[in-house]
Amino acid sequence: MNIAYIVCFYFGGRRQGSRSSKFYFLERHLSFLSEAKNTDIHRAIIVVNEDGETTMNDLEEICNRYDLEIELEIILRPNIDFSYGAWNQAIITDIKNHGDSDYYFVFEDDYAPCTNDFYQPFIERLRDDVAFVASYAVETDESNILILS
């Protein structure tokens, strides 16, 4: 099984001042990917919606600090259609350039997984009549719902 891990980022105004570095969430994802071992993730695609300041050189410099055992691609693109446009471009680019990903997991920049098998509950729920799985919730009792995503 081959999983493409896709994260979209925007480093513009809404992020400034929220953390010590505007690249905090990029670094969190890269940290997870560098520590995650024996997973089915074979490629990470970092998609950055342009903010007018962040350059490809900035992104490559940060990404090169992490020892990843998987392929990493960076896409810097105009901020068109926000996250959905970024995910769409990454998936289409991956299909055209490689065509070897069985599943795509798309993330917002500020949502990072915390376990190596984060994708397993989602994949288990895919069937012939289900092509897309989002957050998965389990009702543990009438007053509590556990979110598994």
Side-chain angles (χ1 to χ4, degrees):
M1 170 173 26
N2 289 328
I3 295 174
Y5 180 106
I6 301 171
V7 191
C8 63
F9 293 90
Y10 177 72
F11 299 114
R14 69 181 176 90
R15 287 283 183 240
Q16 293 174 354
S18 64
R19 301 276 182 210
S20 58
S21 165
K22 72 178 185 176
F23 300 115
Y24 172 82
F25 292 113
L26 172 60
E27 292 166 340
R28 293 298 308 134
H29 280 278
L30 293 168
S31 177
F32 170 78
L33 290 166
S34 67
E35 294 169 9
K37 305 296 181 201
N38 302 316
T39 71
D40 294 305
I41 300 168
H42 73 124
R43 180 177 301 115
I45 305 171
I46 305 299
V47 190
V48 178
N49 286 326
E50 292 175 335
D51 63 3
E53 296 178 10
T54 304
T55 66
M56 184 62 83
N57 193 44
D58 295 333
L59 300 170
E60 289 172 346
E61 181 181 315
I62 292 166
C63 292
N64 287 337
R65 295 180 199 157
Y66 293 84
D67 184 27
L68 302 181
E69 294 180 357
I70 61 171
E71 183 180 341
L72 176 68
E73 295 182 11
I74 305 169
I75 299 171
L76 183 61
R77 64 184 292 278
N79 191 4
I80 299 170
D81 297 327
F82 309 102
S83 298
Y84 294 99
W87 295 327
N88 187 63
Q89 182 171 347
I91 292 169
I92 289 171
T93 300
D94 189 66
I95 290 169
K96 285 181 178 179
N97 292 346
H98 306 287
D100 59 352
S101 296
D102 300 310
Y103 300 99
Y104 294 93
F105 276 81
V106 297
F107 299 91
E108 290 286 352
D109 51 5
D110 56 352
Y111 283 82
C114 55
T115 63
N116 285 0
D117 64 347
F118 70 91
Y119 51 85
Q120 209 56 48
F122 297 95
I123 290 175
E124 290 171 1
R125 281 150 186 89
L126 290 172
R127 302 183 308 267
D128 289 340
D129 62 337
V130 176
F132 179 84
V133 178
S135 294
Y136 177 71
V138 175
E139 190 172 325
T140 58
D141 63 42
E142 290 183 13
S143 64
N144 187 20
I145 294 180
L146 173 66
I147 304 294
L148 296 179
S149 63

